[in-house]
Amino acid sequence: MMRLVLGYSDDTILMNVERAIAEFRHARPVIIENDDMRALVLGIEDLDDALCRRIDAVAGGRARLILTGPRLRRIGLEREDAGAVAMPVVDAERIALLARRVDARVDAPVRAATQVDLDALELAALSFVTPAVLVIPLPEGMEHEPSILTVTGEAIRAFRKQQAKLLRIASRAPVPLEGAHETEFVVFRGGEGMRDQVAIIVGKPDFDKPVFVRLHSACLTGDLFGSLKCDCGDQLRGAVQAMAEGEGGILLYLDQEGRGNGIANKIRAYKLQSEGFDTYDADAALGFGLDQRRFDFAAQMLTELGVSRVRVLTNNPVKIGALREAGLDVVADERSIGRTNPENVRYLASKRDRAGHMIDLDVAIAPQKD
């Protein structure tokens, strides 16, 4: 019998995590194994009574719900790190209450999360689903259906860094824009999971000098539809205009919707904001910290394009620090100012006061020249 062997090594590890992400996003269980533990893990978004009964039949009272530190604080427990709530019965209603309801209160002791628990939360983060997972430890020697994917915790933990190392240019072409006719789009593959990232080179920046750069995280609602809840669209178009009218520059358009939480979670947070939460409290109620984004791969995109010195257009000190930490010479940073309105002024103030963004609302509110 002939056997096809392609010689995968590190690629096989990445492929297993990519498959695990796909399984998680489709509400199918995955087995995570470490040196000392194997566990069946499952996201909580699409749990219903029928699935819970099937899981309960094999859990044997060992199931636990893993919640993040922000979510545990929201439901009444003062702690910074993730924790495990025992689930002697896998109950869809109780899981939804503890993981999603804003008025819930913790109803049982919370134990420290194990490494498998933390790996399961990381898999949820990579999958852009609710950051809460059901974990069922598997006894040694217990068999399972061959269709259930197995992935190591080590592979999950290494996934982001390995993806960054594989960053490469997939395609590039001139794409003239309104007000910026001489513009090239460069698409990168790798760097941030299974998503492509885009560098937009505006004009003819001189790479022997500090290049004008903006790291712009994608915002579907603001960039495309002109949402009044943020100033993202203004910052995007303002950056391109400034580059086109100046000496050129590079805008990195990064697929990091909702501060890295994904579009579904962003809209869930918007629902909470409509009920009175500010942007960060809404994320915390869902189980997220202040910001899930990374920018190391963005620095590598610039390096791949031949950029070593930059002038950064941003209000976010984390972006400045990330570029410096990656080895780029940040010779200057400049503010990015969008319009304010009654819908976004609280959002902007929260970014300033709670995340340290360098936003002067007096300047933003001032009438802009035509």
Side-chain angles (χ1 to χ4, degrees):
M1 178 184 293
M2 295 183 64
R3 184 182 181 190
L4 179 62
V5 179
L6 298 179
Y8 288 118
S9 53
D10 289 345
D11 286 348
T12 303
I13 296 173
L14 286 173
M15 186 166 50
N16 279 344
V17 179
E18 289 167 353
R19 289 173 175 172
I21 292 170
E23 293 293 280
F24 230 67
R25 284 186 61 79
H26 287 90
R28 292 189 286 262
V30 171
I31 291 175
I32 297 178
E33 58 181 16
N34 285 324
D35 293 337
D36 59 346
M37 183 180 293
R38 294 170 65 245
L40 186 76
V41 304
L42 185 67
I44 62 95
E45 284 199 6
D46 294 301
L47 283 177
D48 55 23
D49 290 337
L51 180 55
C52 282
R53 285 194 294 269
R54 294 202 301 271
I55 296 295
D56 195 54
V58 300
R62 300 184 303 273
R64 56 183 182 253
L65 178 66
I66 315 305
L67 301 173
T68 65
R71 179 60 191 173
L72 288 171
R73 291 194 297 276
R74 173 65 203 177
I75 62 176
L77 191 65
E78 287 302 322
R79 64 184 295 154
E80 294 298 318
D81 52 347
V85 182
M87 285 279 154
V89 176
V90 180
D91 182 327
E93 184 176 349
R94 182 175 176 231
I95 290 171
L97 174 72
L98 291 173
R100 303 287 284 272
R101 286 271 299 274
V102 296
D103 58 347
R105 285 295 176 263
V106 65
D107 62 1
V110 177
R111 296 185 302 161
T114 68
Q115 186 59 61
V116 164
D117 298 337
L118 297 177
D119 294 338
L121 282 178
E122 174 66 1
L123 185 56
L126 290 168
S127 306
F128 299 114
V129 296
T130 298
V133 289
L134 193 64
V135 174
I136 300 97
L138 300 177
E140 186 175 352
M142 183 178 184
E143 296 184 355
H144 60 83
E145 296 178 25
S147 61
I148 300 178
L149 180 72
T150 297
V151 63
T152 67
E154 181 181 11
I156 293 171
R157 294 190 296 275
F159 182 75
R160 295 183 192 266
K161 288 187 177 180
Q162 287 183 309
Q163 279 286 318
K165 293 177 182 177
L166 297 176
L167 188 75
R168 67 192 188 281
I169 294 176
S171 59
R172 61 193 302 166
V175 181
L177 303 178
E178 183 178 1
H181 190 82
E182 192 172 31
T183 299
E184 182 182 21
F185 277 54
V186 183
V187 178
F188 286 81
R189 188 145 298 157
E192 184 78 340
M194 294 182 285
R195 294 165 287 161
D196 292 341
Q197 312 295 337
V198 182
I200 303 163
I201 305 175
V202 181
K204 294 292 184 182
D206 184 350
F207 288 7
D208 291 329
K209 299 178 181 178
V211 177
F212 196 31
V213 167
R214 173 165 173 77
L215 279 57
H216 187 93
S217 296
C219 175
L220 174 71
T221 51
D223 296 343
L224 184 59
F225 292 101
S227 167
L228 298 177
K229 291 184 66 64
C230 65
D231 62 342
C232 299
D234 282 352
Q235 291 191 76
L236 172 65
R237 283 173 278 279
V240 172
Q241 180 181 355
M243 292 173 185
E245 294 176 353
E247 298 178 353
I250 300 176
L251 185 141
L252 301 186
Y253 196 77
L254 309 175
D255 189 358
Q256 300 175 317
E257 188 78 46
R259 289 193 291 269
N261 300 341
I263 185 63
N265 288 314
K266 172 181 173 176
I267 297 303
R268 290 176 181 134
Y270 274 6
K271 177 66 165 59
L272 293 177
Q273 289 177 47
S274 72
E275 298 170 359
F277 288 73
D278 85 351
T279 179
Y280 295 109
D281 286 337
D283 281 354
L286 296 173
F288 295 104
L290 285 181
D291 199 327
Q292 278 59 244
R293 291 175 294 179
R294 296 162 45 252
F295 300 106
D296 53 345
F297 70 92
Q300 189 174 342
M301 290 169 67
L302 293 171
T303 300
E304 290 286 329
L305 292 173
V307 176
S308 60
R309 295 188 296 159
V310 296
R311 294 163 42 225
V312 187
L313 181 64
T314 185
N315 302 325
N316 188 348
V318 173
K319 293 181 180 180
I320 299 169
L323 294 181
R324 285 186 171 136
E325 186 175 345
L328 292 176
D329 182 11
V330 181
V331 302
D333 56 90
E334 303 175 23
R335 304 289 73 82
S336 178
I337 300 173
R339 292 169 293 180
T340 61
N341 63 73
E343 298 289 342
N344 71 13
V345 67
R346 185 185 182 195
Y347 162 80
L348 296 173
S350 294
K351 289 174 69 173
R352 178 195 63 194
D353 298 338
R354 301 188 61 178
H357 287 224
M358 296 172 282
I359 299 174
D360 186 339
L361 285 177
D362 291 334
V363 172
I365 293 172
Q368 303 294 310
K369 295 181 179 179
D370 295 333

